Every structure is written in C-alpha cells, then in structure tokens.
Amino acid sequence: MRAISLRPMTRTLALAALAALPLSSPASAHDLERERLLQAQAEALEDAVAWDILEDLTTEVGPRLGGTPAEARARAWATERLTALGFANVRVEDYRMPTWVRGEEKARLTGPYPQDLALTALGNSGSTGPAGLTAEVVGYVDYAAFLADDPANQAGRIVFISNAMPRNQDGSGYSMPFGAPRWVGPNEAAKRGAAAIVVRSIGTDHNRTPHTGNTSFEEGVDPIPAAALAVPDAEQLMRVLERAETAVRMELLLTPRRLGMQPSGNVIAEVPGRDPSAKKVLVGCHLDSWDNAPGVFDDGAGCAIVAAAAKRVMDMGTPARTIEIVWFGAEEVGLWGARDFAERHDGTDYHVVAESDFGADRVWKVTTDLGEHRRAEADALRAALAPLGIASGDYDQAGGADVGPLRAEGAPGLSLRQDGTRYFDLHHTANDTLDKVDPAQLRQNVAAWTTMLLVMAGPVE
Ligand SMILES: [Zn+2]
C-alpha cells in the first residue's frame, strides 16, 4: 500500500472526507484516492480558469489564422498566460508554413433571377482577380453526381456541388461523403477545367453564415476560385437551377492571396512529474482559428479546458508523470503545427496523447486506444469518469487531428468525446463567438480532463 502525502489544501479536504466515514470501516488508500477524485471533480465543476482563458484569448487576440501576425499575437498571449498560471518550461517551437489570406468575397446571380448569394472562400482558394469572373453555373446534388458527369459540361463553368450533412451527436456527418465537395471537389473541378467551384457549406445550421474550411490542390494543379455557400443560399441556388429555363449565370469575386512562407509555432508548457524518465501525458488543442470569428468553439475552448485541468492537477501536488500541454499552431490550414511537433518529438515517449477540439459542450463518452495490456487502466479511467455522466466507449479507438501524427508514431491515445449536436451550426462560421458557450458544460469538460489527468498522470503527491 502506498503512503499518501497531501498538500495542506487537499489534506483538509481528504480529512473532511475521512471524518465522514463510519468508524467501523477504516479508510483504505483506495477509498482515500476515490474521495480525492470526487473532491477534485466537485471543485472542477466550479472552475473559473477555463472561462477566463477562453474569454481573454478570444477577446484580446480575436481571430488568429495560421501563419498571420494575429496567430503570432496569440502565441505571445499564450506564452504570457501559461507562465502566469505557473506552468514550467513554457516555450514556443517555431516553424514556417505557406500562408493564405482571404480577400474580398461576393457572389451574385446575374440571370435569370438576379440576386446576391452569401458565400466565403475556402482556404487555399485561387483568386478571380479584382475584376471577378462571370460564368454559367452547372449544379449537382452531390459529389458522386459531379464525378459522374462529363467534364465537357464543367469546363469553363462555375461548378456547384450540394450535399446534405446530417446532424448527430458524434459529429460523424463531418466525414465522407458529405465533406467531399469541400475537401476534394475543388481539386477535381480544377483538373476538369472548371472556371471556379462553389459548394454547399458543411454545416447543420440554416443561417446565412457560410462555413469556411480548408481545401487542397494536388501538386501541379492550379488552384481555382473555391467557396462555400451558406446552407440557405445553396438551397436557393438549387431551386434556381431547377426552375431556370435559360442558363444560370453567376458573377463571382474572390481575391485571396498567398503570402509564401510565414512564421508559425506551437506553444508548450509543462507540469513536471516526479519521475522525469516516465513517459509523459500530452494534452492538446489548437491555438489558431479561422479568420472569420474569434474561434471560441474552434478551438479556444479546447485550449482553455486542457490548461485549466492541468492547472487543477498542478495545484493538488506533483503528478507521477510529466503533463505536457501543447497549444498547436496552424491546425485549420493544414496541421502544420502537428506535423512539426511530431518531427521533433517521438510518439513512443508518451504514455497517452489526447486533444480537445470539438467545441465547449459536455463530454458524453470516453474511448481509449491504450492496447489490450492496459485494459485495467482503461477501465479505471472509465470508472473515474462515470460520476460525471460519461459513458464508456470503444477500447480500440481514439481520435484527434493534432495528435494524429504522434499516434502514427505509436503514441497511445484516448478521446473525451464532446456532444457535437450543435457543433456544426457554428463550426468555421462568423457565429463562433463567446455568447454560444454554456459555462456549466465548459466546467464539466474541465472536470472530465482533470479526472483523466489524475488517472493517467497520477498519483498526485
Ligand atoms: Zn478545430
């Protein structure tokens, strides 16, 4: 049995818990550990640190697109805040990355039913030039219909591809085939000689707030102008195409620019563990955001949650393992921070890696991918999370874009899955703002991550 030494604050709490136990059942170390866990959860459900980080970052820095001076301001802000919170070894690992910035964006149907449409350029979109371009629109209900058509019908035209993303809790609608028009549509349309492409936003809302997001073009393919229509505007365009008896023509103005290689970086901080040779626990998020909103759900919340949880553990004592907090740079525009991090660090140095990047709503399920030999640890985590209303999920599954490259190098992973029911109403839109956050659900996230750290990096002494 391991001796437990507590810091004064937690000792008082544990003693209070002890006093509550009946005299006939002396507390075992296990009982004490459980009491400490429940106490830590109760305190985390009152957390104020995450909200402060989220409000301050998204107010004082605002939007912070990868590779831009705004992202550099975010790194400076992050370094200062993580230091002020008391973390150790706060530092930036710099890298350079190709940078794209938005310009003007406008679309108007010139005939047969003239009207404006709400849209926004996709990351890596080409430019129409300042004069814009006007061409006939050819529309498809989905990506498969676009692929099936003769490229001769698409050359020189503005291709429109719809899709219908379903709403669901686990966010699985944000995947193929619904994401295909955005992810691979522009590249394919460019290869087929299209003048430009507009797609229905990958989103579940019906607001006139288009959802931006990255697209990519193969080496050797010249980027064409590529944009996402707001969902109601995509539906409107579909109706126009169905009714029009003459060609539907669109005037499109998109003037993004490429700035070449620009500086970006990952911000890293630590809670040093008692055993420097032990494998570390990495908790991550991404510091960058799209440029059209202050990036509250995506992903200021994730950075606030993981840092607040790590601070709670640090304030309880010293964990057995070092906790590494990584606020990754330039995720949205191509995972540049994640790739740089995986080049410098070795996935096999980690006991587990996990990231928070799915908004600010409550954690509802835990999944792990620790390997069969760590089943007991995976079960201990599930038992610890259960009081927070978190269900047990798969034992061979963990996600996360930023930890993906580390996972590919062999790092074990886990996911604290957040409720994504309304995530894609806000995702990558101008509506990703602070007023959408439910403070109680944000605090439940902090409690879940604190619990995870106590189990995976503990015991705390
Ligand atoms: Zn994100």
Side-chain angles (χ1 to χ4, degrees):
M1 196 180 293
R2 188 181 44 78
I4 296 177
S5 79
L6 302 176
R7 284 190 170 180
M9 186 186 74
T10 44
R11 182 185 296 137
T12 311
L13 298 169
L15 287 177
L18 248 185
L21 290 171
L23 288 173
S24 56
S25 65
S28 67
H30 179 269
D31 291 335
L32 258 182
E33 209 47 52
R34 182 77 183 168
E35 276 307 323
R36 282 187 85 194
L37 177 70
L38 293 174
Q39 187 64 43
Q41 288 179 347
E43 289 175 11
L45 289 171
E46 304 285 318
D47 177 81
V49 175
W51 181 275
D52 286 348
I53 292 172
L54 183 55
E55 178 175 336
D56 296 351
L57 170 68
T58 59
T59 303
E60 294 169 19
V61 180
R64 40 200 187 277
L65 187 68
T68 67
E71 197 199 29
R73 283 194 289 115
R75 284 194 297 284
W77 185 97
T79 305
E80 194 181 323
R81 176 58 62 99
L82 291 167
T83 303
L85 286 168
F87 293 116
N89 304 325
V90 179
R91 63 199 188 274
V92 177
E93 289 181 352
D94 296 306
Y95 52 85
R96 294 175 73 79
M97 50 164 286
T99 299
W100 173 99
V101 292
R102 190 179 306 282
E104 283 186 275
E105 38 198 31
K106 260 187 216 163
R108 177 169 177 75
L109 296 181
T110 55
Y113 314 130
Q115 56 193 288
D116 293 343
L117 294 175
L119 92 181
T120 190
L122 297 175
N124 287 321
S125 166
S127 172
T128 61
L133 70 82
T134 303
E136 185 180 336
V137 179
V138 54
Y140 302 96
V141 291
D142 59 22
Y143 187 67
F146 157 74
L147 274 188
D149 196 16
D150 185 347
N153 295 330
Q154 300 158 350
R157 292 186 170 151
I158 297 175
V159 166
F160 163 56
I161 310 178
S162 192
N163 63 79
M165 180 187 174
R167 178 188 298 278
N168 42 38
Q169 187 176 29
D170 65 3
S172 53
Y174 191 65
S175 59
M176 299 298 254
F178 314 108
R182 189 190 102 199
W183 293 323
V184 292
N187 181 64
E188 188 58 32
K191 288 200 291 188
R192 291 170 172 229
I197 178 171
V198 295
V199 302
R200 173 168 152 154
S201 285
I202 312 178
T204 48
D205 63 298
H206 279 76
N207 299 314
R208 295 194 76 187
T209 43
H211 298 237
T212 189
N214 225 33
T215 192
S216 51
F217 294 90
E218 282 168 46
E219 196 76 33
V221 174
D222 265 347
I224 55 172
L229 290 160
V231 170
D233 295 75
E235 291 175 347
Q236 178 81 332
L237 178 55
M238 194 55 96
R239 278 191 297 273
V240 168
L241 286 164
E242 282 163 5
R243 290 175 192 216
E245 286 171 1
T246 56
V248 174
R249 294 181 67 80
M250 181 187 286
E251 196 177 282
L252 184 64
L253 176 70
L254 298 173
T255 58
R257 289 175 302 135
R258 288 169 195 286
L259 304 181
M261 298 299 278
Q262 299 293 324
S264 183
N266 295 317
V267 182
I268 303 163
E270 287 174 15
V271 179
R274 289 192 302 280
D275 180 1
S277 68
K279 291 189 178 196
K280 295 174 283 188
V281 174
L282 183 150
V283 291
C285 64
H286 65 87
L287 182 58
D288 66 303
S289 76
W290 277 105
D291 53 349
N292 56 354
V296 173
F297 272 62
D298 193 9
D299 181 28
C303 292
I305 290 162
V306 300
K311 173 158 175 59
R312 302 201 78 83
V313 172
M314 178 172 70
D315 289 349
M316 289 173 70
T318 305
R321 299 177 188 278
T322 293
I323 299 168
E324 198 167 74
I325 302 151
V326 185
W327 289 5
F328 288 96
E331 187 266 359
E332 297 291 3
V333 288
L335 290 171
W336 297 100
R339 289 190 266 176
D340 185 79
F341 191 89
E343 266 173 36
R344 296 176 197 235
H345 303 268
D346 188 342
T348 61
D349 286 343
Y350 292 94
H351 186 61
V352 71
V353 297
E355 77 186 49
S356 177
D357 183 16
F358 203 54
D361 284 344
R362 67 184 288 273
V363 175
W364 67 283
K365 185 169 82 170
V366 54
T367 68
T368 50
D369 189 12
L370 303 175
E372 200 44 48
H373 62 293
R374 288 171 63 185
R375 180 80 177 207
E377 198 181 355
D379 282 331
L381 177 64
R382 283 165 170 75
L385 289 166
L388 296 169
I390 297 168
S392 168
D394 294 343
Y395 286 83
D396 58 355
Q397 200 195 90
D402 275 314
V403 297
L406 289 173
R407 298 265 295 127
E409 292 176 2
L414 65 83
S415 291
L416 297 175
R417 306 246 178 221
Q418 290 164 292
D419 187 336
T421 307
R422 65 177 182 136
Y423 184 64
F424 290 102
D425 292 349
L426 307 170
H427 183 249
H428 297 182
T429 73
N431 260 338
D432 183 4
T433 52
L434 189 66
D435 52 295
K436 311 303 186 304
V437 178
D438 172 359
Q441 294 196 62
L442 182 70
R443 292 193 294 260
Q444 188 262 10
N445 273 271
V446 176
W449 283 82
T450 302
T451 302
M452 185 278 280
L453 288 174
L454 288 173
V455 173
M456 303 303 292
V460 175
E461 291 182 2

